Amino acid sequence: MALKTIDSLNLAGKRVFIRVDFNVPLDDQGKVTDDARIRAALPTIQFALKNKAKVILASHLGRPKGKPEDRKKLTLEPAAERLSELLKQDVILADDCVGDGVKKLVRDLKDGQVLLLENLRFHPEEEKNDEEFAKELASIADVWVNDAFGTAHRAHASTAGMAKFVKEKAAGFLIQKEVEYLGKALGSPARPFVAIVGGAKVSDKIKVLENLIAKADAVLIGGAMAYTFLEAQGVPVGKSLVEKDKLELARQILERAKARGVDLLLPTDHVCGAEPKETAERVVVNDRAIPPNLMGLDIGPKTLDRYRQRILDAKTVFWNGPMGLFEQKPWAEGTFGVAQAMAKSPAVTVVGGGDSAAAVEEAGLVDKMKHVSTGGGASLEFIEGRVLPGIQVLED
Ligand code: ADP
Ligand code: MG
Protein backbone atom coordinates (compact mmCIF):
# COMPACT_ATOMS: atom_id res chain seq x y z
CA MET A 1 0.00 0.00 0.00
CA ALA A 2 1.24 3.47 -0.83
CA LEU A 3 1.98 5.60 2.21
CA LYS A 4 0.26 8.92 2.57
CA THR A 5 3.04 11.48 2.84
CA ILE A 6 3.23 14.96 4.27
CA ASP A 7 3.15 16.62 0.85
CA SER A 8 -0.43 15.44 0.32
CA LEU A 9 -1.69 17.57 3.24
CA ASN A 10 -2.59 21.22 3.52
CA LEU A 11 -0.45 22.41 6.42
CA ALA A 12 -0.90 26.19 6.43
CA GLY A 13 -1.72 27.53 9.86
CA LYS A 14 -1.99 24.06 11.34
CA ARG A 15 -0.22 22.65 14.39
CA VAL A 16 1.91 19.96 12.77
CA PHE A 17 3.38 17.52 15.28
CA ILE A 18 6.37 15.77 13.72
CA ARG A 19 7.80 12.74 15.53
CA VAL A 20 11.48 12.90 14.59
CA ASP A 21 14.45 10.79 15.59
CA PHE A 22 16.89 13.13 17.31
CA ASN A 23 18.41 10.29 19.32
CA VAL A 24 21.91 11.56 18.52
CA PRO A 25 25.26 10.66 20.11
CA LEU A 26 26.63 13.25 22.55
CA ASP A 27 30.14 13.74 23.94
CA ASP A 28 31.02 14.39 27.61
CA GLN A 29 30.41 18.11 27.13
CA GLY A 30 26.95 17.36 25.80
CA LYS A 31 27.83 18.32 22.20
CA VAL A 32 26.25 16.45 19.29
CA THR A 33 29.04 14.31 17.80
CA ASP A 34 27.06 13.11 14.76
CA ASP A 35 24.15 15.13 13.46
CA ALA A 36 23.17 12.71 10.68
CA ARG A 37 19.79 12.00 12.24
CA ILE A 38 18.98 15.69 12.60
CA ARG A 39 19.99 16.32 8.98
CA ALA A 40 17.90 13.35 7.86
CA ALA A 41 14.80 15.02 9.34
CA LEU A 42 15.39 18.38 7.62
CA PRO A 43 13.45 17.77 4.37
CA THR A 44 10.25 17.11 6.32
CA ILE A 45 10.76 19.99 8.77
CA GLN A 46 11.64 22.42 5.99
CA PHE A 47 8.64 21.34 3.94
CA ALA A 48 6.31 22.03 6.87
CA LEU A 49 7.94 25.41 7.51
CA LYS A 50 7.74 26.42 3.87
CA ASN A 51 4.06 25.57 3.94
CA LYS A 52 3.50 27.85 6.93
CA ALA A 53 2.80 25.21 9.54
CA LYS A 54 3.31 25.72 13.27
CA VAL A 55 5.95 23.02 13.64
CA ILE A 56 6.06 20.98 16.84
CA LEU A 57 8.92 18.45 16.98
CA ALA A 58 9.19 15.58 19.42
CA SER A 59 11.85 12.91 19.98
CA HIS A 60 13.36 10.64 22.57
CA LEU A 61 17.04 10.69 23.50
CA GLY A 62 18.81 7.77 25.14
CA ARG A 63 17.25 5.72 27.89
CA PRO A 64 16.40 7.98 30.84
CA LYS A 65 15.64 5.97 33.95
CA GLY A 66 13.79 8.68 35.82
CA LYS A 67 16.89 9.79 37.77
CA PRO A 68 17.28 13.57 38.22
CA GLU A 69 20.75 13.59 36.61
CA ASP A 70 19.26 11.99 33.48
CA ARG A 71 17.24 15.17 32.98
CA LYS A 72 20.49 17.07 32.57
CA LYS A 73 22.37 14.45 30.59
CA LEU A 74 19.58 13.52 28.22
CA THR A 75 18.02 16.87 27.46
CA LEU A 76 17.34 17.67 23.80
CA GLU A 77 19.01 21.06 24.23
CA PRO A 78 22.11 20.14 22.18
CA ALA A 79 19.86 18.82 19.41
CA ALA A 80 17.83 22.04 19.50
CA GLU A 81 21.02 24.05 19.13
CA ARG A 82 22.25 22.01 16.19
CA LEU A 83 18.84 22.11 14.52
CA SER A 84 18.72 25.87 14.89
CA GLU A 85 22.13 26.14 13.15
CA LEU A 86 20.98 23.89 10.32
CA LEU A 87 17.64 25.65 9.81
CA LYS A 88 19.17 29.09 10.35
CA GLN A 89 16.23 30.04 12.52
CA ASP A 90 15.26 29.97 16.18
CA VAL A 91 14.16 26.71 17.73
CA ILE A 92 12.11 27.08 20.90
CA LEU A 93 12.87 24.31 23.40
CA ALA A 94 10.08 23.39 25.81
CA ASP A 95 11.09 22.11 29.24
CA ASP A 96 8.69 19.17 28.96
CA CYS A 97 6.66 17.40 26.28
CA VAL A 98 3.25 17.66 27.96
CA GLY A 99 1.58 19.96 30.48
CA ASP A 100 0.34 23.53 30.74
CA GLY A 101 3.69 25.11 29.89
CA VAL A 102 3.80 23.24 26.61
CA LYS A 103 0.19 24.10 25.83
CA LYS A 104 0.96 27.77 26.31
CA LEU A 105 4.03 27.60 24.06
CA VAL A 106 1.92 25.94 21.37
CA ARG A 107 -0.82 28.60 21.71
CA ASP A 108 1.79 31.31 21.18
CA LEU A 109 3.50 29.51 18.30
CA LYS A 110 3.26 31.37 14.98
CA ASP A 111 3.11 29.94 11.48
CA GLY A 112 6.64 29.09 10.35
CA GLN A 113 8.02 28.77 13.89
CA VAL A 114 9.59 25.67 15.40
CA LEU A 115 9.00 24.28 18.87
CA LEU A 116 10.98 21.25 20.06
CA LEU A 117 9.43 19.35 22.95
CA GLU A 118 11.73 17.95 25.65
CA ASN A 119 12.75 14.26 25.67
CA LEU A 120 9.59 12.13 25.42
CA ARG A 121 11.12 9.37 27.51
CA PHE A 122 11.32 11.59 30.58
CA HIS A 123 7.79 10.19 30.91
CA PRO A 124 7.66 6.39 31.26
CA GLU A 125 4.17 6.56 29.70
CA GLU A 126 5.84 7.16 26.33
CA GLU A 127 7.35 3.67 26.08
CA LYS A 128 4.29 2.11 27.71
CA ASN A 129 2.19 3.59 24.92
CA ASP A 130 -0.13 4.91 27.62
CA GLU A 131 -3.42 6.00 26.11
CA GLU A 132 -3.91 9.11 28.29
CA PHE A 133 -0.37 10.24 27.52
CA ALA A 134 -0.91 9.67 23.79
CA LYS A 135 -4.12 11.73 23.99
CA GLU A 136 -2.26 14.48 25.82
CA LEU A 137 0.39 14.61 23.07
CA ALA A 138 -2.30 14.59 20.40
CA SER A 139 -4.16 17.46 22.10
CA ILE A 140 -1.57 19.97 20.85
CA ALA A 141 -1.66 18.70 17.25
CA ASP A 142 -3.91 19.06 14.24
CA VAL A 143 -1.69 16.84 12.12
CA TRP A 144 0.58 13.99 13.20
CA VAL A 145 3.56 13.24 10.99
CA ASN A 146 5.80 10.29 11.74
CA ASP A 147 9.32 10.65 10.39
CA ALA A 148 11.19 8.72 13.08
CA PHE A 149 12.20 5.64 11.14
CA GLY A 150 14.72 4.64 13.82
CA THR A 151 11.88 4.05 16.31
CA ALA A 152 9.21 2.91 13.85
CA HIS A 153 9.63 -0.66 15.14
CA ARG A 154 8.38 0.44 18.56
CA ALA A 155 4.73 0.99 19.43
CA HIS A 156 5.16 3.95 21.76
CA ALA A 157 2.76 6.81 22.48
CA SER A 158 4.43 9.24 20.06
CA THR A 159 5.32 6.67 17.38
CA ALA A 160 1.98 4.89 17.18
CA GLY A 161 -0.45 5.56 20.05
CA MET A 162 -1.30 9.16 19.22
CA ALA A 163 -2.26 8.35 15.64
CA LYS A 164 -5.86 7.61 16.50
CA PHE A 165 -6.35 10.89 18.37
CA VAL A 166 -5.42 13.26 15.55
CA LYS A 167 -7.49 14.47 12.61
CA GLU A 168 -4.84 13.93 9.97
CA LYS A 169 -1.71 11.83 9.77
CA ALA A 170 1.05 11.19 7.27
CA ALA A 171 4.57 9.87 6.83
CA GLY A 172 7.51 12.25 6.59
CA PHE A 173 9.97 12.13 3.70
CA LEU A 174 12.54 10.09 5.63
CA ILE A 175 10.11 7.27 6.38
CA GLN A 176 8.91 7.49 2.80
CA LYS A 177 12.48 7.08 1.53
CA GLU A 178 13.26 4.22 3.91
CA VAL A 179 10.13 2.33 2.94
CA GLU A 180 10.78 2.95 -0.74
CA TYR A 181 14.35 1.66 -0.70
CA LEU A 182 14.13 -1.10 1.87
CA GLY A 183 10.79 -2.14 0.39
CA LYS A 184 11.97 -2.01 -3.21
CA ALA A 185 15.26 -3.77 -2.55
CA LEU A 186 13.33 -6.73 -1.24
CA GLY A 187 9.98 -6.40 -2.94
CA SER A 188 10.86 -6.06 -6.60
CA PRO A 189 14.64 -5.98 -6.92
CA ALA A 190 16.42 -5.57 -10.23
CA ARG A 191 18.42 -8.77 -10.72
CA PRO A 192 20.93 -10.11 -10.00
CA PHE A 193 20.09 -9.25 -6.41
CA VAL A 194 23.08 -9.82 -4.13
CA ALA A 195 22.70 -9.71 -0.35
CA ILE A 196 25.71 -9.44 1.93
CA VAL A 197 25.19 -10.49 5.51
CA GLY A 198 27.75 -10.27 8.28
CA GLY A 199 28.00 -9.20 11.87
CA ALA A 200 28.62 -10.98 15.09
CA LYS A 201 25.93 -13.61 15.40
CA VAL A 202 23.84 -15.93 13.27
CA SER A 203 21.22 -15.77 16.02
CA ASP A 204 20.74 -12.00 15.48
CA LYS A 205 20.18 -12.50 11.79
CA ILE A 206 18.14 -15.69 11.40
CA LYS A 207 15.01 -13.96 10.10
CA VAL A 208 17.06 -11.59 7.96
CA LEU A 209 18.88 -14.53 6.38
CA GLU A 210 15.69 -16.50 5.83
CA ASN A 211 13.96 -13.57 4.18
CA LEU A 212 16.97 -12.75 2.01
CA ILE A 213 17.44 -16.35 0.92
CA ALA A 214 13.83 -16.31 -0.25
CA LYS A 215 14.49 -13.28 -2.45
CA ALA A 216 18.16 -12.86 -3.38
CA ASP A 217 20.09 -14.56 -6.16
CA ALA A 218 23.22 -14.75 -4.04
CA VAL A 219 23.95 -14.31 -0.34
CA LEU A 220 27.53 -13.50 0.64
CA ILE A 221 28.36 -14.30 4.25
CA GLY A 222 31.05 -12.62 6.31
CA GLY A 223 31.70 -11.54 9.88
CA ALA A 224 31.84 -13.83 12.86
CA MET A 225 28.68 -15.62 11.75
CA ALA A 226 30.65 -17.13 8.85
CA TYR A 227 32.53 -19.37 11.29
CA THR A 228 29.34 -20.91 12.61
CA PHE A 229 28.45 -21.77 9.00
CA LEU A 230 31.94 -23.17 8.32
CA GLU A 231 31.93 -25.25 11.48
CA ALA A 232 28.48 -26.53 10.51
CA GLN A 233 30.13 -27.84 7.34
CA GLY A 234 32.86 -29.53 9.33
CA VAL A 235 35.58 -26.96 8.54
CA PRO A 236 37.94 -26.29 11.49
CA VAL A 237 37.74 -22.63 12.58
CA GLY A 238 40.30 -22.47 15.42
CA LYS A 239 39.44 -19.98 18.15
CA SER A 240 36.88 -18.08 16.04
CA LEU A 241 33.52 -17.13 17.55
CA VAL A 242 31.08 -19.97 16.94
CA GLU A 243 27.53 -20.30 18.21
CA LYS A 244 27.55 -23.98 19.09
CA ASP A 245 23.80 -24.08 19.61
CA LYS A 246 23.19 -22.68 16.13
CA LEU A 247 25.08 -25.27 14.07
CA GLU A 248 21.92 -27.17 13.18
CA LEU A 249 20.19 -23.95 12.22
CA ALA A 250 23.18 -22.99 10.05
CA ARG A 251 22.89 -26.38 8.29
CA GLN A 252 19.20 -25.77 7.67
CA ILE A 253 19.89 -22.35 6.19
CA LEU A 254 22.55 -23.86 3.90
CA GLU A 255 20.05 -26.53 2.82
CA ARG A 256 17.34 -24.00 2.15
CA ALA A 257 19.64 -21.86 0.04
CA LYS A 258 20.62 -24.90 -1.99
CA ALA A 259 17.00 -25.98 -2.46
CA ARG A 260 16.09 -22.50 -3.69
CA GLY A 261 19.06 -22.32 -6.05
CA VAL A 262 20.55 -19.35 -4.18
CA ASP A 263 24.35 -19.09 -4.20
CA LEU A 264 25.34 -18.91 -0.54
CA LEU A 265 28.99 -17.91 -0.44
CA LEU A 266 31.25 -18.41 2.56
CA PRO A 267 34.80 -17.13 3.08
CA THR A 268 37.51 -19.30 1.51
CA ASP A 269 40.36 -17.44 3.21
CA HIS A 270 40.63 -15.35 6.34
CA VAL A 271 42.44 -12.62 8.20
CA CYS A 272 43.21 -13.98 11.64
CA GLY A 273 44.79 -13.00 14.92
CA ALA A 274 45.64 -14.77 18.15
CA GLU A 275 43.21 -12.48 19.94
CA PRO A 276 40.68 -9.79 18.99
CA LYS A 277 43.01 -6.88 19.71
CA GLU A 278 44.30 -3.94 17.70
CA THR A 279 47.86 -4.94 18.67
CA ALA A 280 47.59 -8.61 17.68
CA GLU A 281 49.62 -9.74 14.67
CA ARG A 282 47.58 -9.81 11.44
CA VAL A 283 47.85 -13.27 9.85
CA VAL A 284 46.35 -14.08 6.44
CA VAL A 285 45.24 -17.71 6.31
CA ASN A 286 44.97 -18.79 2.69
CA ASP A 287 42.67 -21.70 3.36
CA ARG A 288 39.08 -22.39 4.41
CA ALA A 289 40.34 -24.01 7.62
CA ILE A 290 41.73 -21.88 10.45
CA PRO A 291 44.60 -23.24 12.63
CA PRO A 292 43.73 -24.02 16.29
CA ASN A 293 45.68 -21.07 17.77
CA LEU A 294 44.02 -18.40 15.59
CA MET A 295 40.70 -16.62 15.42
CA GLY A 296 39.01 -15.39 12.24
CA LEU A 297 38.57 -11.62 12.47
CA ASP A 298 37.97 -10.60 8.84
CA ILE A 299 37.34 -12.14 5.43
CA GLY A 300 40.56 -12.79 3.50
CA PRO A 301 41.74 -11.04 0.31
CA LYS A 302 40.65 -13.89 -2.00
CA THR A 303 37.17 -13.85 -0.47
CA LEU A 304 37.00 -10.08 -0.81
CA ASP A 305 37.89 -10.36 -4.52
CA ARG A 306 35.17 -12.93 -5.06
CA TYR A 307 32.57 -10.85 -3.16
CA ARG A 308 33.66 -7.67 -4.96
CA GLN A 309 33.03 -9.27 -8.35
CA ARG A 310 29.52 -10.33 -7.32
CA ILE A 311 28.79 -6.81 -6.08
CA LEU A 312 30.05 -5.21 -9.30
CA ASP A 313 27.95 -7.58 -11.44
CA ALA A 314 24.77 -7.04 -9.41
CA LYS A 315 21.79 -4.78 -10.18
CA THR A 316 20.64 -4.65 -6.55
CA VAL A 317 22.88 -4.98 -3.48
CA PHE A 318 21.66 -5.07 0.08
CA TRP A 319 24.24 -5.12 2.85
CA ASN A 320 23.82 -5.76 6.53
CA GLY A 321 26.57 -6.62 8.98
CA PRO A 322 30.33 -5.91 8.91
CA MET A 323 32.69 -8.52 7.41
CA GLY A 324 34.97 -8.45 10.42
CA LEU A 325 35.97 -6.69 13.60
CA PHE A 326 36.23 -3.49 11.56
CA GLU A 327 36.44 -1.19 14.60
CA GLN A 328 40.09 -2.33 14.84
CA LYS A 329 42.36 -1.44 11.93
CA PRO A 330 43.98 -4.85 11.26
CA TRP A 331 40.56 -6.41 10.64
CA ALA A 332 38.82 -3.60 8.75
CA GLU A 333 39.85 -4.27 5.14
CA GLY A 334 37.05 -6.70 4.31
CA THR A 335 34.32 -4.38 5.57
CA PHE A 336 35.71 -1.29 3.86
CA GLY A 337 36.45 -3.34 0.73
CA VAL A 338 32.80 -4.35 0.50
CA ALA A 339 31.75 -0.73 1.05
CA GLN A 340 34.08 0.42 -1.74
CA ALA A 341 32.84 -2.25 -4.14
CA MET A 342 29.26 -1.13 -3.44
CA ALA A 343 30.26 2.47 -4.04
CA LYS A 344 31.65 1.46 -7.48
CA SER A 345 28.81 -0.87 -8.42
CA PRO A 346 26.15 0.38 -10.84
CA ALA A 347 23.59 -1.48 -8.71
CA VAL A 348 20.91 0.03 -6.49
CA THR A 349 22.86 -0.15 -3.24
CA VAL A 350 21.13 -0.24 0.13
CA VAL A 351 22.76 -0.51 3.56
CA GLY A 352 20.86 -1.44 6.72
CA GLY A 353 21.95 -1.97 10.31
CA GLY A 354 23.58 0.35 12.84
CA ASP A 355 27.16 -0.91 12.65
CA SER A 356 27.08 -1.32 8.87
CA ALA A 357 25.86 2.27 8.47
CA ALA A 358 28.63 3.40 10.84
CA ALA A 359 31.20 1.57 8.68
CA VAL A 360 29.95 3.28 5.50
CA GLU A 361 30.05 6.61 7.31
CA GLU A 362 33.62 5.94 8.49
CA ALA A 363 34.66 5.02 4.96
CA GLY A 364 33.23 8.35 3.77
CA LEU A 365 31.01 6.58 1.23
CA VAL A 366 27.51 7.50 2.39
CA ASP A 367 26.92 9.69 -0.67
CA LYS A 368 28.04 6.89 -2.97
CA MET A 369 25.25 4.58 -1.80
CA LYS A 370 21.71 4.77 -3.08
CA HIS A 371 20.40 4.51 0.45
CA VAL A 372 21.91 4.10 3.90
CA SER A 373 19.16 3.38 6.38
CA THR A 374 19.00 5.62 9.44
CA GLY A 375 17.30 2.92 11.46
CA GLY A 376 19.47 0.16 12.94
CA GLY A 377 16.96 -2.15 14.60
CA ALA A 378 14.08 -0.80 12.52
CA SER A 379 15.79 -1.55 9.20
CA LEU A 380 16.54 -5.11 10.34
CA GLU A 381 12.94 -5.68 11.41
CA PHE A 382 11.82 -4.30 8.07
CA ILE A 383 14.17 -6.67 6.23
CA GLU A 384 12.88 -9.52 8.38
CA GLY A 385 9.56 -8.82 6.72
CA ARG A 386 7.89 -7.57 9.90
CA VAL A 387 5.27 -4.85 9.93
CA LEU A 388 6.59 -1.83 11.82
CA PRO A 389 3.94 -0.37 14.17
CA GLY A 390 4.95 3.23 13.44
CA ILE A 391 4.34 2.62 9.75
CA GLN A 392 1.29 0.42 10.14
CA VAL A 393 -0.67 3.17 11.93
CA LEU A 394 -0.01 5.44 8.97
CA GLU A 395 -1.64 2.94 6.66
CA ASP A 396 -4.78 2.28 8.74
P1 ADP B 1 24.67 -4.30 12.27
O1 ADP B 1 24.59 -3.37 13.45
O2 ADP B 1 25.12 -3.61 11.03
O3 ADP B 1 23.40 -5.09 12.08
P2 ADP B 1 25.89 -6.38 13.83
O4 ADP B 1 25.47 -5.67 15.06
O5 ADP B 1 25.23 -7.65 13.50
O6 ADP B 1 25.81 -5.37 12.58
O7 ADP B 1 27.44 -6.75 13.92
C1 ADP B 1 28.44 -5.82 14.08
C2 ADP B 1 29.54 -6.29 14.98
O8 ADP B 1 30.04 -7.56 14.60
C3 ADP B 1 30.68 -5.34 14.91
O9 ADP B 1 30.86 -4.73 16.17
C4 ADP B 1 31.87 -6.21 14.53
O10 ADP B 1 33.05 -5.87 15.22
C5 ADP B 1 31.41 -7.59 14.91
N1 ADP B 1 32.14 -8.61 14.16
C6 ADP B 1 32.08 -8.85 12.85
N2 ADP B 1 32.91 -9.84 12.50
C7 ADP B 1 33.53 -10.25 13.62
C8 ADP B 1 34.52 -11.25 13.92
N3 ADP B 1 35.03 -12.02 12.97
N4 ADP B 1 34.90 -11.38 15.20
C9 ADP B 1 34.39 -10.60 16.17
N5 ADP B 1 33.46 -9.65 15.95
C10 ADP B 1 33.04 -9.47 14.69
MG1 MG C 1 24.72 -3.75 15.56
Side-chain angles (χ1 to χ4, degrees):
M1 196 194 298
L3 271 185
K4 185 169 180 177
T5 45
I6 184 171
D7 50 342
S8 68
L9 301 177
N10 179 7
L11 304 176
K14 289 184 189 159
R15 299 169 301 168
V16 177
F17 184 114
I18 309 177
R19 177 44 161 111
V20 289
D21 180 4
F22 284 178
N23 184 28
V24 289
L26 302 171
D27 66 15
D28 296 342
Q29 269 75 54
K31 272 261 164 222
V32 176
T33 54
D34 179 359
D35 64 359
R37 285 184 162 160
I38 300 177
R39 282 186 283 113
L42 288 179
T44 299
I45 297 170
Q46 281 164 333
F47 180 85
L49 288 173
K50 206 180 70 196
N51 285 278
K52 307 204 166 46
K54 304 181 204 300
V55 174
I56 303 162
L57 304 175
S59 176
H60 74 285
L61 176 65
R63 297 205 156 90
K65 292 278 177 292
K67 287 179 282 178
E69 63 262 35
D70 283 353
R71 282 224 155 226
K72 255 173 115 180
K73 257 196 306 206
L74 297 173
T75 169
L76 281 165
E77 197 176 336
E81 245 170 67
R82 186 68 194 118
L83 176 66
S84 172
E85 285 165 14
L86 290 165
L87 288 175
K88 300 187 181 69
Q89 80 172 67
D90 284 343
V91 171
I92 306 161
L93 179 66
D95 64 2
D96 204 343
C97 60
V98 287
D100 290 342
V102 169
K103 288 205 174 92
K104 168 142 189 14
L105 286 173
V106 172
R107 261 199 313 272
D108 294 342
L109 200 62
K110 297 191 180 63
D111 300 352
Q113 282 192 324
V114 182
L115 170 69
L116 174 61
L117 304 182
E118 187 52 283
N119 194 342
L120 291 156
R121 289 194 189 164
F122 286 164
H123 294 265
E125 294 89 344
E126 160 67 359
E127 288 181 271
K128 289 192 190 117
N129 195 5
D130 178 88
E131 184 149 306
E132 284 311 309
F133 184 72
K135 245 188 231 168
E136 179 86 15
L137 290 173
S139 74
I140 54 165
D142 300 308
V143 178
W144 176 67
V145 174
N146 191 8
D147 210 22
F149 184 72
T151 34
H153 59 317
R154 305 278 182 239
H156 294 165
S158 68
T159 63
M162 62 184 286
K164 61 172 185 274
F165 301 117
V166 290
K167 286 195 270 314
E168 291 179 285
K169 57 189 181 179
F173 296 124
L174 176 62
I175 283 203
Q176 179 191 31
K177 186 173 178 232
E178 294 276 3
V179 168
E180 186 188 329
Y181 281 108
L182 295 174
K184 197 164 70 184
L186 288 178
S188 50
R191 294 182 184 279
F193 172 21
V194 171
I196 311 150
V197 187
K201 291 184 187 157
V202 181
S203 52
D204 286 345
K205 303 286 167 76
I206 297 166
K207 289 262 165 52
V208 172
L209 277 167
E210 282 175 351
N211 207 21
L212 288 172
I213 282 169
K215 287 167 175 152
D217 301 295
V219 178
L220 322 181
I221 306 275
M225 74 159 73
Y227 313 114
T228 300
F229 279 101
L230 288 172
E231 178 145 325
Q233 293 184 321
V235 178
V237 294
K239 292 200 294 180
S240 308
L241 289 177
V242 169
E243 286 176 278
K244 293 276 183 203
D245 58 336
K246 294 291 176 295
L247 293 172
E248 189 44 45
L249 180 78
R251 269 177 224 119
Q252 286 168 12
I253 291 173
L254 290 166
E255 285 294 315
R256 206 162 308 155
K258 202 164 157 194
R260 292 221 163 95
V262 174
D263 291 337
L264 193 145
L265 273 53
L266 291 169
T268 48
D269 64 342
H270 314 275
V271 178
C272 301
E275 45 183 358
K277 284 199 179 144
E278 188 100 47
T279 48
E281 190 196 346
R282 185 175 185 276
V283 184
V284 175
V285 173
N286 187 17
D287 188 18
R288 283 208 325 153
I290 296 173
N293 58 327
L294 291 174
M295 144 175 237
L297 293 167
D298 193 9
I299 56 173
K302 242 179 16 191
T303 305
L304 177 57
D305 276 345
R306 203 158 48 107
Y307 287 9
R308 183 185 289 125
Q309 205 49 56
R310 291 280 185 151
I311 292 166
L312 292 173
D313 292 341
K315 291 240 165 63
T316 304
V317 181
F318 173 75
W319 178 29
N320 166 256
M323 298 290 98
L325 184 61
F326 78 101
E327 295 91 341
Q328 298 177 7
K329 200 159 177 276
W331 338 108
E333 221 162 80
T335 298
F336 291 138
V338 160
Q340 275 148 9
M342 284 179 72
K344 278 205 196 92
S345 172
V348 174
T349 47
V350 180
V351 182
D355 293 291
S356 315
V360 174
E361 177 88 32
E362 209 187 311
L365 295 172
V366 174
D367 296 339
K368 293 274 188 320
M369 305 293 172
K370 196 76 191 174
H371 181 63
V372 180
S373 178
T374 54
S379 61
L380 287 191
E381 289 200 15
F382 197 101
I383 296 302
E384 287 174 358
R386 285 207 244 179
V387 179
L388 309 186
I391 292 174
Q392 187 173 25
V393 294
L394 291 169
E395 290 171 345
D396 290 342

